[in-house]
Amino acid sequence: MIRRHLFAALLAALPLSFAARAAESPADAAARKALTELVPQAKVDAVEQAPLPGFRQVIVSGQMVYVSDDGKYLLQGSLYDTRSKRDLTAARLAVDTKRKVDAVPADKRIVFAPSGKPKYKVTVFTDIDCGYCRKLHSQVAEYNQRGIELDYLFFPRSGLNTPSFDKAVSVWCAKDRKGAFTAAKSGANPAPLKCDNPVAEQFTLGTQIGVNATPAVFAPDGTHIGGYLPPDEMLARLQSLAPPALAGN
């Protein structure tokens, strides 16, 4: 009995990825093996049956590839359902993105919200020094007037421990964080500050969901709706995806 309890405790302590891998089908394992042999440094987030018969779909750093069940063939690109006129690749990636972005708590975001309850909420990965990021933020009041809340996460394009990264840290550590953010977006250099901050983890999150340019704007359902979008265009894009009630999710 003691041994059985000990075994159960050890099993419960195993990493989720190990348990999931142990339960993989032969086709899942073949797809994973083929991909990691082709790209040894690849970090595989998920392997599952694809809508395309005879293939598995594999999510790698926010990207989707399709691998044949025998591991012999790999396809990269978007998979469309011609009958429903739906991008199945984008829809599946959005689910994964939403899960990861929703895990970022409110106290690790810089939020610019309308005075009333927002109709929509977007997550924006931003770089302090990015020109289109600055253009987007210069219109933040116009987005808010249209009922759109902007939740900012940092993505210094130059990488960790670079001048843009340091500016993001300084903004985060400022006493008036939103004021420092807006001033930096206007071209002012923030006073150098250090403190516990989420900049590195937000940069890592961005790379995990496929961010490779800024601004990167994500809808509440995880859909990447683009880079810079003028206020009316962003509103129209959000309206085309879902009703306003989605903003409460």
Side-chain angles (χ1 to χ4, degrees):
M1 182 66 70
I2 293 175
R3 288 182 178 179
R4 183 179 300 173
H5 288 166
L6 178 60
F7 177 77
L10 289 172
L11 184 61
L14 288 174
L16 180 60
S17 60
F18 180 91
R21 194 173 300 182
E24 281 185 338
S25 69
D28 290 341
R32 183 185 294 273
K33 182 173 183 291
L35 189 61
T36 53
E37 286 182 350
L38 188 65
V39 187
Q41 69 273 25
K43 181 183 181 300
V44 176
D45 295 325
V47 182
E48 56 201 23
Q49 185 173 351
L52 183 66
F55 280 79
R56 319 311 279 180
Q57 55 188 26
V58 185
I59 300 177
V60 186
S61 300
Q63 305 296 320
M64 181 81 81
V65 295
Y66 299 93
V67 183
S68 59
D69 287 347
D70 61 3
K72 186 176 181 180
Y73 300 103
L74 183 148
L75 299 173
Q76 186 173 14
S78 295
L79 180 63
Y80 284 88
D81 184 325
T82 58
R83 293 182 179 179
S84 66
K85 296 180 173 59
R86 186 165 178 251
D87 185 337
L88 300 180
T89 302
R92 176 59 185 89
L93 289 175
V95 172
D96 195 60
T97 296
K98 174 177 170 56
R99 175 180 61 81
K100 292 177 178 177
V101 171
D102 285 354
V104 180
D107 62 1
K108 289 189 176 182
R109 302 166 181 255
I110 296 182
V111 177
F112 288 82
S115 55
K117 183 177 180 180
K119 295 178 181 178
Y120 299 99
K121 178 174 69 175
V122 297
T123 299
V124 183
F125 284 83
T126 192
D127 181 311
I128 293 295
D129 295 320
C130 153
Y132 275 105
C133 298
R134 291 181 173 184
K135 184 174 182 179
L136 185 149
H137 189 67
S138 72
Q139 297 174 287
V140 66
E142 297 177 53
Y143 295 106
N144 287 169
Q145 288 167 5
R146 288 157 178 79
I148 303 172
E149 174 184 314
L150 275 63
D151 285 18
Y152 284 108
L153 302 180
F154 287 110
F155 190 84
R157 296 169 301 169
S158 52
L160 305 179
N161 303 314
T162 62
S164 289
F165 177 90
D166 291 340
K167 288 180 184 179
V169 171
S170 295
V171 165
W172 182 265
C173 297
K175 185 175 181 180
D176 178 6
R177 190 173 293 160
K178 291 175 66 174
F181 184 89
T182 296
K185 288 295 186 183
S186 298
N189 286 322
L193 294 170
K194 297 288 185 181
C195 68
D196 290 337
N197 66 85
V199 179
E201 64 186 72
Q202 290 177 4
F203 176 79
T204 299
L205 171 61
T207 61
Q208 289 174 350
I209 62 174
V211 173
N212 55 21
T214 54
V217 184
F218 292 87
D221 68 350
T223 299
H224 182 200
I225 62 174
Y228 167 76
L229 294 171
D232 285 335
E233 189 174 334
M234 184 181 290
L235 178 60
R237 186 80 175 92
L238 290 167
Q239 290 172 334
S240 73
L241 290 173
L246 190 59
N249 288 358

Coordinates of all heavy atoms in Angstrom, one line a residue, residues 96-113 120-126 137 149-155 168 171-174 176-179 181 196-199 201-202 205 209 216-222 247 249:
D96 N -4.3 28.7 -28.8 CA -3.1 28.6 -28.0 C -2.6 29.9 -27.5 O -2.2 30.1 -26.4 CB -2.0 27.9 -28.9 CG -0.8 27.4 -28.0 OD1 -1.1 26.6 -27.1 OD2 0.3 27.9 -28.3
T97 N -2.7 30.9 -28.4 CA -2.3 32.3 -28.1 C -3.2 32.8 -27.0 O -2.7 33.5 -26.0 CB -2.4 33.2 -29.3 OG1 -1.4 32.7 -30.3 CG2 -2.1 34.6 -28.9
K98 N -4.5 32.7 -27.1 CA -5.4 33.2 -26.1 C -5.1 32.6 -24.7 O -5.0 33.3 -23.7 CB -6.8 32.8 -26.4 CG -7.9 33.2 -25.3 CD -9.3 32.9 -25.8 CE -10.3 33.0 -24.6 NZ -10.2 34.4 -23.9
R99 N -4.8 31.3 -24.6 CA -4.5 30.7 -23.4 C -3.3 31.3 -22.7 O -3.2 31.6 -21.5 CB -4.3 29.2 -23.6 CG -3.8 28.4 -22.3 CD -3.7 26.9 -22.7 NE -2.7 26.7 -23.7 CZ -1.4 26.6 -23.5 NH1 -0.9 26.9 -22.2 NH2 -0.5 26.4 -24.4
K100 N -2.2 31.5 -23.5 CA -1.0 32.1 -23.0 C -1.1 33.5 -22.6 O -0.6 34.0 -21.6 CB 0.1 31.9 -24.1 CG 0.5 30.4 -24.3 CD 1.6 30.2 -25.3 CE 1.9 28.8 -25.5 NZ 2.9 28.6 -26.6
V101 N -1.8 34.3 -23.5 CA -1.9 35.7 -23.2 C -2.8 36.0 -22.0 O -2.6 36.8 -21.2 CB -2.4 36.5 -24.4 CG1 -2.8 37.9 -24.1 CG2 -1.4 36.5 -25.5
D102 N -3.9 35.2 -21.9 CA -4.8 35.3 -20.8 C -4.2 35.0 -19.4 O -4.7 35.5 -18.4 CB -6.1 34.4 -21.0 CG -7.0 35.0 -22.0 OD1 -6.8 36.1 -22.5 OD2 -8.0 34.3 -22.3
A103 N -3.1 34.3 -19.5 CA -2.4 33.9 -18.2 C -1.6 35.1 -17.7 O -1.2 35.0 -16.5 CB -1.5 32.7 -18.5
V104 N -1.4 36.2 -18.4 CA -0.7 37.3 -17.9 C -1.7 38.1 -17.0 O -2.7 38.6 -17.5 CB -0.2 38.2 -19.1 CG1 0.5 39.5 -18.5 CG2 0.7 37.5 -20.0
P105 N -1.4 38.3 -15.8 CA -2.3 39.0 -14.9 C -2.4 40.5 -15.2 O -1.5 41.1 -15.8 CB -1.7 38.7 -13.5 CG -0.3 38.5 -13.7 CD -0.2 37.8 -15.1
A106 N -3.5 41.1 -14.7 CA -3.7 42.5 -14.9 C -2.6 43.4 -14.4 O -2.2 44.4 -15.0 CB -5.0 42.9 -14.3
D107 N -2.0 43.0 -13.3 CA -1.0 43.8 -12.7 C 0.4 43.7 -13.4 O 1.4 44.3 -12.9 CB -0.8 43.5 -11.2 CG -0.4 42.0 -10.9 OD1 -0.1 41.3 -11.9 OD2 -0.2 41.7 -9.7
K108 N 0.5 42.9 -14.5 CA 1.7 42.9 -15.3 C 1.4 43.5 -16.7 O 2.2 43.3 -17.6 CB 2.2 41.4 -15.4 CG 2.8 40.9 -14.1 CD 3.5 39.6 -14.3 CE 4.1 39.1 -13.0 NZ 4.9 37.8 -13.2
R109 N 0.4 44.2 -16.8 CA 0.0 44.9 -18.0 C 0.0 46.4 -17.8 O -0.2 46.9 -16.7 CB -1.3 44.5 -18.5 CG -1.5 43.0 -18.8 CD -3.0 42.6 -19.0 NE -3.1 41.2 -19.2 CZ -3.4 40.6 -20.4 NH1 -3.6 41.4 -21.4 NH2 -3.5 39.3 -20.5
I110 N 0.2 47.2 -18.8 CA 0.0 48.6 -18.8 C -1.3 48.9 -19.6 O -1.3 48.7 -20.8 CB 1.2 49.4 -19.3 CG1 2.4 49.2 -18.4 CG2 0.8 50.9 -19.4 CD1 3.6 50.0 -18.9
V111 N -2.3 49.3 -18.9 CA -3.7 49.3 -19.5 C -4.2 50.8 -19.7 O -4.1 51.6 -18.8 CB -4.7 48.6 -18.5 CG1 -6.1 48.7 -19.1 CG2 -4.3 47.1 -18.3
F112 N -4.7 51.0 -20.9 CA -5.3 52.3 -21.2 C -6.7 51.9 -21.7 O -7.0 51.3 -22.7 CB -4.6 53.0 -22.4 CG -3.3 53.6 -21.9 CD1 -2.1 52.8 -21.9 CD2 -3.2 54.9 -21.6 CE1 -0.9 53.3 -21.4 CE2 -1.9 55.4 -21.1 CZ -0.8 54.6 -21.1
A113 N -7.7 52.2 -20.8 CA -9.1 51.8 -21.0 C -10.0 53.0 -21.1 O -9.7 54.1 -20.6 CB -9.5 50.9 -19.8
Y120 N -14.4 46.2 -26.3 CA -13.3 45.2 -26.8 C -12.1 45.5 -26.0 O -11.8 46.6 -25.6 CB -13.1 45.4 -28.3 CG -14.2 45.1 -29.2 CD1 -15.0 46.2 -29.7 CD2 -14.6 43.8 -29.5 CE1 -16.1 45.9 -30.5 CE2 -15.7 43.5 -30.3 CZ -16.4 44.6 -30.8 OH -17.5 44.4 -31.6
K121 N -11.3 44.4 -25.9 CA -9.9 44.6 -25.3 C -8.9 43.9 -26.2 O -9.1 42.7 -26.6 CB -9.9 43.9 -23.9 CG -8.6 44.0 -23.2 CD -8.6 43.4 -21.8 CE -8.9 41.9 -21.7 NZ -8.8 41.4 -20.4
V122 N -7.9 44.6 -26.5 CA -6.8 44.0 -27.3 C -5.5 44.0 -26.5 O -5.3 44.9 -25.7 CB -6.6 44.8 -28.7 CG1 -7.8 44.7 -29.5 CG2 -6.2 46.2 -28.4
T123 N -4.7 43.0 -26.8 CA -3.4 43.0 -26.2 C -2.3 43.4 -27.3 O -2.4 42.9 -28.4 CB -3.1 41.5 -25.7 OG1 -4.0 41.2 -24.7 CG2 -1.7 41.5 -25.1
V124 N -1.5 44.3 -26.9 CA -0.5 44.9 -27.9 C 0.9 44.7 -27.3 O 1.3 45.2 -26.3 CB -0.8 46.4 -28.0 CG1 0.2 47.0 -29.1 CG2 -2.2 46.7 -28.4
F125 N 1.6 43.9 -28.1 CA 3.1 43.7 -27.8 C 3.8 44.9 -28.4 O 3.6 45.2 -29.6 CB 3.6 42.4 -28.4 CG 3.2 41.2 -27.6 CD1 2.0 40.6 -27.7 CD2 4.1 40.7 -26.6 CE1 1.6 39.5 -27.0 CE2 3.7 39.6 -25.8 CZ 2.5 39.0 -26.0
T126 N 4.5 45.7 -27.6 CA 5.0 47.0 -28.1 C 6.5 47.1 -27.7 O 7.0 46.5 -26.8 CB 4.2 48.1 -27.4 OG1 4.6 49.4 -28.0 CG2 4.5 48.2 -25.9
H137 N 0.1 54.5 -30.2 CA -0.2 55.1 -28.8 C -0.6 56.6 -28.9 O -1.3 57.0 -28.0 CB 1.0 54.9 -27.9 CG 0.7 55.2 -26.5 ND1 -0.2 54.5 -25.7 CD2 1.1 56.3 -25.7 CE1 -0.3 55.0 -24.5 NE2 0.5 56.1 -24.5
E149 N -10.1 48.9 -25.3 CA -9.1 48.9 -24.3 C -7.8 48.4 -24.8 O -7.8 47.3 -25.5 CB -9.5 48.1 -23.1 CG -8.5 48.0 -22.0 CD -8.9 47.1 -20.8 OE1 -10.0 47.2 -20.4 OE2 -8.1 46.2 -20.4
L150 N -6.7 49.1 -24.6 CA -5.4 48.6 -25.0 C -4.6 48.1 -23.8 O -4.3 48.9 -22.9 CB -4.6 49.7 -25.7 CG -4.9 50.0 -27.2 CD1 -6.3 50.4 -27.5 CD2 -3.9 51.0 -27.8
D151 N -4.3 46.9 -23.8 CA -3.4 46.3 -22.8 C -2.0 46.1 -23.4 O -1.8 45.2 -24.3 CB -4.0 44.9 -22.3 CG -5.2 45.1 -21.4 OD1 -5.8 46.2 -21.4 OD2 -5.5 44.1 -20.7
Y152 N -1.0 46.8 -22.8 CA 0.3 46.7 -23.4 C 1.2 45.7 -22.7 O 1.2 45.6 -21.4 CB 1.0 48.1 -23.3 CG 0.5 49.1 -24.3 CD1 -0.2 50.2 -23.9 CD2 0.9 49.0 -25.6 CE1 -0.6 51.2 -24.8 CE2 0.5 50.0 -26.6 CZ -0.2 51.0 -26.2 OH -0.6 52.0 -27.1
L153 N 1.9 44.9 -23.5 CA 3.0 44.0 -23.0 C 4.2 44.4 -23.7 O 4.2 44.9 -24.9 CB 2.6 42.6 -23.2 CG 1.3 42.0 -22.6 CD1 1.2 40.5 -23.0 CD2 1.3 42.2 -21.1
F154 N 5.4 44.3 -23.1 CA 6.6 44.7 -23.7 C 7.2 43.7 -24.6 O 7.3 42.5 -24.3 CB 7.6 45.1 -22.6 CG 7.3 46.4 -22.0 CD1 6.9 46.4 -20.6 CD2 7.4 47.6 -22.6 CE1 6.6 47.6 -20.0 CE2 7.1 48.8 -22.0 CZ 6.7 48.8 -20.7
F155 N 7.7 44.1 -25.8 CA 8.5 43.2 -26.7 C 9.6 44.1 -27.3 O 9.4 44.5 -28.4 CB 7.6 42.6 -27.7 CG 8.2 41.5 -28.6 CD1 8.3 40.2 -28.1 CD2 8.8 41.8 -29.8 CE1 8.9 39.2 -28.8 CE2 9.5 40.8 -30.5 CZ 9.5 39.5 -30.0
A168 N 12.2 49.9 -21.4 CA 11.0 49.3 -21.0 C 11.0 49.0 -19.5 O 10.0 49.2 -18.8 CB 10.8 48.0 -21.8
V171 N 10.5 52.3 -17.7 CA 9.1 52.7 -17.7 C 8.3 51.9 -16.7 O 7.5 52.5 -15.9 CB 8.5 52.5 -19.1 CG1 7.0 52.6 -19.1 CG2 9.1 53.6 -20.1
W172 N 8.5 50.6 -16.6 CA 7.8 49.8 -15.7 C 8.1 50.2 -14.3 O 7.2 50.2 -13.4 CB 8.2 48.3 -15.9 CG 7.4 47.4 -15.0 CD1 7.8 46.9 -13.8 CD2 6.0 47.0 -15.2 NE1 6.8 46.2 -13.2 CE2 5.7 46.2 -14.1 CE3 5.1 47.1 -16.2 CZ2 4.4 45.6 -13.9 CZ3 3.9 46.5 -16.1 CH2 3.5 45.8 -15.0
C173 N 9.3 50.6 -14.0 CA 9.7 50.9 -12.6 C 9.4 52.3 -12.2 O 9.6 52.7 -11.0 CB 11.2 50.7 -12.4 SG 11.7 48.9 -12.7
A174 N 8.9 53.1 -13.1 CA 8.5 54.5 -12.8 C 7.3 54.6 -11.8 O 6.5 53.7 -11.8 CB 8.2 55.3 -14.1
D176 N 4.9 56.8 -11.8 CA 3.8 57.0 -12.7 C 4.0 56.2 -14.0 O 4.5 56.7 -15.0 CB 3.6 58.5 -13.0 CG 2.4 58.8 -13.9 OD1 1.7 57.8 -14.3 OD2 2.3 59.9 -14.4
R177 N 3.7 55.0 -13.9 CA 4.0 54.0 -15.0 C 3.3 54.5 -16.3 O 4.0 54.5 -17.4 CB 3.6 52.6 -14.6 CG 4.1 51.5 -15.5 CD 3.7 50.2 -14.9 NE 4.4 49.9 -13.7 CZ 4.1 49.0 -12.8 NH1 3.0 48.4 -12.9 NH2 4.8 48.9 -11.7
K178 N 2.1 54.8 -16.3 CA 1.4 55.2 -17.5 C 1.9 56.5 -18.1 O 2.1 56.7 -19.3 CB -0.1 55.2 -17.3 CG -0.8 53.9 -17.1 CD -2.2 54.0 -16.7 CE -3.1 54.5 -17.8 NZ -4.5 54.5 -17.5
G179 N 2.2 57.4 -17.2 CA 2.8 58.7 -17.6 C 4.2 58.5 -18.2 O 4.5 59.1 -19.3
F181 N 5.2 55.8 -19.6 CA 5.0 55.0 -20.9 C 4.7 56.0 -22.0 O 5.2 56.0 -23.1 CB 3.9 54.0 -20.7 CG 3.6 53.1 -21.9 CD1 4.3 51.9 -22.0 CD2 2.7 53.5 -22.8 CE1 4.0 51.1 -23.1 CE2 2.4 52.7 -23.9 CZ 3.1 51.5 -24.1
D196 N 12.0 44.8 -9.8 CA 11.4 43.6 -10.3 C 10.4 44.0 -11.4 O 9.6 44.9 -11.3 CB 10.7 42.9 -9.2 CG 11.6 42.3 -8.2 OD1 12.8 42.1 -8.5 OD2 11.2 42.0 -7.0
N197 N 10.5 43.3 -12.6 CA 9.7 43.7 -13.7 C 9.4 42.5 -14.6 O 10.1 41.5 -14.5 CB 10.4 44.8 -14.5 CG 11.7 44.2 -15.2 OD1 11.7 43.6 -16.2 ND2 12.9 44.4 -14.5
P198 N 8.4 42.6 -15.4 CA 8.0 41.4 -16.3 C 8.5 41.5 -17.7 O 8.0 40.8 -18.6 CB 6.4 41.5 -16.2 CG 6.2 43.0 -16.2 CD 7.3 43.6 -15.4
V199 N 9.4 42.4 -18.0 CA 9.8 42.7 -19.4 C 10.3 41.4 -20.0 O 10.0 41.1 -21.2 CB 10.7 43.9 -19.5 CG1 11.1 44.1 -21.0 CG2 10.1 45.1 -18.9
E201 N 10.0 38.3 -19.3 CA 9.0 37.2 -19.5 C 8.0 37.5 -20.5 O 7.5 36.7 -21.3 CB 8.3 36.8 -18.1 CG 7.4 37.9 -17.6 CD 6.9 37.6 -16.2 OE1 7.7 37.5 -15.2 OE2 5.7 37.3 -16.1
Q202 N 7.7 38.8 -20.7 CA 6.8 39.2 -21.8 C 7.4 39.1 -23.1 O 6.8 38.7 -24.1 CB 6.3 40.7 -21.5 CG 5.3 40.8 -20.3 CD 4.9 42.2 -20.0 OE1 5.2 43.1 -20.7 NE2 4.1 42.3 -18.9
L205 N 7.3 35.5 -23.9 CA 5.9 35.1 -24.3 C 5.7 35.5 -25.7 O 5.1 34.7 -26.5 CB 4.9 35.8 -23.4 CG 3.4 35.7 -23.8 CD1 3.0 34.3 -23.8 CD2 2.5 36.6 -22.9
I209 N 4.6 33.0 -29.0 CA 3.3 33.0 -29.8 C 3.6 33.6 -31.2 O 2.6 33.9 -31.9 CB 2.2 33.8 -29.1 CG1 2.6 35.3 -28.8 CG2 1.9 33.1 -27.7 CD1 1.5 36.1 -28.3
A216 N 2.3 44.3 -32.3 CA 1.6 43.1 -32.6 C 0.3 43.1 -31.8 O 0.3 43.0 -30.6 CB 2.4 41.8 -32.3
V217 N -0.8 43.2 -32.5 CA -2.1 43.4 -31.8 C -2.9 42.1 -31.9 O -3.1 41.5 -33.0 CB -2.9 44.5 -32.5 CG1 -4.2 44.8 -31.7 CG2 -2.1 45.8 -32.6
F218 N -3.4 41.6 -30.7 CA -4.2 40.4 -30.6 C -5.6 40.7 -30.1 O -5.7 41.4 -29.1 CB -3.5 39.4 -29.7 CG -2.2 38.9 -30.3 CD1 -1.0 39.5 -30.1 CD2 -2.2 37.7 -31.0 CE1 0.2 39.1 -30.6 CE2 -1.0 37.2 -31.6 CZ 0.2 37.9 -31.4
A219 N -6.6 40.1 -30.7 CA -7.9 40.2 -30.3 C -8.2 39.4 -29.1 O -7.4 38.5 -28.7 CB -8.9 39.8 -31.5
P220 N -9.3 39.6 -28.4 CA -9.6 38.8 -27.2 C -9.7 37.3 -27.4 O -9.4 36.5 -26.5 CB -11.0 39.3 -26.8 CG -11.1 40.7 -27.4 CD -10.4 40.6 -28.7
D221 N -10.0 36.8 -28.7 CA -10.0 35.4 -28.9 C -8.6 34.8 -29.3 O -8.5 33.7 -29.6 CB -11.0 35.1 -30.0 CG -10.6 35.6 -31.4 OD1 -9.6 36.3 -31.5 OD2 -11.3 35.2 -32.4
G222 N -7.6 35.7 -29.2 CA -6.2 35.2 -29.6 C -5.8 35.4 -31.0 O -4.7 35.2 -31.4
A247 N -15.5 41.1 -25.0 CA -14.5 41.9 -24.2 C -14.6 41.5 -22.8 O -13.6 41.7 -22.0 CB -14.9 43.4 -24.4
N249 N -14.4 38.5 -21.6 CA -13.7 37.2 -21.3 C -12.3 37.5 -20.8 O -11.7 38.5 -21.1 CB -13.6 36.5 -22.7 CG -15.0 35.9 -23.1 OD1 -16.0 36.1 -22.4 ND2 -15.1 35.3 -24.2

